[in-house]
Amino acid sequence: SPATQQLYATVPASAGLDHRNRVLEIDPTIGVIGRSVILGVDPNAIAMSPDGSFAYVGLDGPAAVRRLQIGPMTGGLQFGLGEAPFNTRLYAEVIIILPGRPDSIAVSRRNFCCSPHSYGTAIYDSGIMRPNTTEGGGSGWQGCPSIALLDPSTLLGLSNESTNFQLQVQHIDTSGVGVIDVVSNVIPGFYERLVINGGGGFATSGRVVDPRTLGLIGTFAAQGPVVPEMLPGVVGFADRNQSAVRLFDRETYVPLETFNFPPAFGTPRVAVACGPACIAFTTDADKLVIAQLGRDPIFENGFDE
């Protein structure tokens, strides 16, 4: 969180006894774990408020979302996300806090039983779901495991579980959320992700799209979790093919620098900025890595103790 200058990480139930089921507060400048709290079983997705005062955390154990007050590190309101057909519980894939509405969130929902896993986007106000969701709302709509906020009433969703790879514009109103525009195959590839920053939609495939026109702007020569503002004018990738953090000029796409990390850390899955020239990423080896660029990683932990 830029507001608190701390990194917040969720640790699953499969981790070691000391850290399992906890939300951790980590100082990214020195790589030290500070406070922690247990909100429930198997915390996963997390969304921080802009002022750093609260967060929403997805709990995969009870198939719920719970609010976390950062100051006292205590849990608050908890609510379920509903069910799919055949009594299939739904879980939080991505959580987004709606601007100016601290009690309202958009959630990309998924199941664990069936393919495709995504079950569309829904809006919740103090735990109450608005009636309209992007599941079943129109012919040919697909659930989007990856959603990003374009403006206070618009989400951009990426459907990455079928071969037409829909990019959806989702409009939020008082009745919920619905799809108002769709293009296919602008960002192809299974399980790719999308983040929006400064008028660009940056995909883990290296592609960049215009989120207003849904057209392709360009492609970086890297693939993996992307941090659009690693430094001013610099885009960073935790490259899933090269065991490296790679930096590019945002305007020209020209490679700038590469910082290697040990392959034993695993393949990067999710990355965030954690301060100036700082990147934190999780890997498929269930590790959290924090690196200050130009230095050896200051934190590498699988939370297995």
Side-chain angles (χ1 to χ4, degrees):
S1 167
T4 66
Q5 302 295 302
Q6 300 292 299
L7 182 69
Y8 296 88
T10 57
V11 184
S14 58
L17 184 61
D18 288 351
H19 298 106
R20 69 178 57 165
N21 294 321
R22 290 186 175 273
V23 179
L24 305 180
E25 188 177 65
I26 303 170
D27 186 335
T29 63
I30 55 177
V32 172
I33 298 173
R35 302 181 301 165
S36 69
V37 63
I38 296 177
L39 296 178
V41 177
D42 248 355
N44 194 346
I46 185 169
M48 296 293 302
S49 66
D51 65 359
S53 64
F54 66 92
Y56 286 92
V57 179
L59 301 174
D60 287 353
V65 168
R66 192 169 186 191
R67 182 164 165 145
L68 168 64
Q69 292 300 130
I70 297 299
M73 285 292 275
T74 56
L77 175 69
Q78 178 172 316
F79 54 92
L81 299 177
E83 292 184 342
F86 310 109
N87 298 317
T88 302
R89 297 196 300 174
L90 296 174
Y91 305 82
E93 179 88 18
V94 178
I95 303 171
I96 295 174
I97 302 170
L98 300 187
R101 299 183 63 90
D103 295 322
S104 299
I105 58 173
V107 182
S108 169
R109 303 171 300 163
R110 73 180 191 277
N111 66 63
F112 281 142
C113 75
C114 318
S115 182
H117 297 292
S118 180
Y119 203 70
T121 307
I123 308 298
Y124 298 84
D125 304 297
S126 300
I128 306 300
M129 189 180 80
R130 298 183 194 178
N132 292 344
T133 74
T134 64
E135 187 280 322
S139 176
W141 292 3
Q142 298 170 358
C144 292
S146 179
I147 58 173
L149 188 71
L150 181 56
D151 60 46
S153 62
T154 312
L155 299 168
L156 203 62
L158 179 61
S159 170
N160 55 27
E161 294 185 285
S162 68
T163 54
N164 66 357
F165 304 116
Q166 291 184 352
L167 189 61
Q168 300 178 358
V169 179
Q170 303 178 359
H171 177 69
I172 301 169
D173 59 26
T174 55
S175 64
V177 58
V179 177
I180 59 172
D181 197 7
V182 177
V183 297
S184 295
N185 294 307
V186 177
I187 303 176
F190 291 105
Y191 310 115
E192 301 295 357
R193 298 282 172 168
L194 180 73
V195 296
I196 293 176
N197 177 273
F202 296 79
T204 51
S205 62
R207 292 196 170 199
V208 184
V209 299
D210 184 323
R212 296 293 181 182
T213 67
L214 305 185
L216 182 67
I217 298 174
T219 304
F220 289 99
Q223 295 183 338
V226 55
V227 178
E229 280 296 314
M230 206 50 246
L231 293 164
V234 176
V235 176
F237 284 83
D239 198 309
R240 63 193 180 207
N241 299 318
Q242 297 193 17
S243 296
V245 175
R246 304 183 63 205
L247 305 184
F248 295 81
D249 185 282
R250 179 171 176 143
E251 298 299 326
T252 66
Y253 297 78
V254 171
L256 299 175
E257 292 188 81
T258 297
F259 303 94
N260 296 310
F261 57 83
F265 285 2
T267 301
R269 295 188 302 185
V270 178
V272 296
C274 49
C278 178
I279 187 171
F281 58 90
T282 59
T283 74
D284 62 358
D286 293 326
K287 294 182 181 294
L288 171 64
V289 179
I290 302 175
Q292 301 282 347
L293 299 183
R295 299 165 49 189
D296 290 336
I298 62 172
F299 187 92
E300 179 267 320
N301 199 323
F303 305 112
D304 50 7
E305 296 181 354

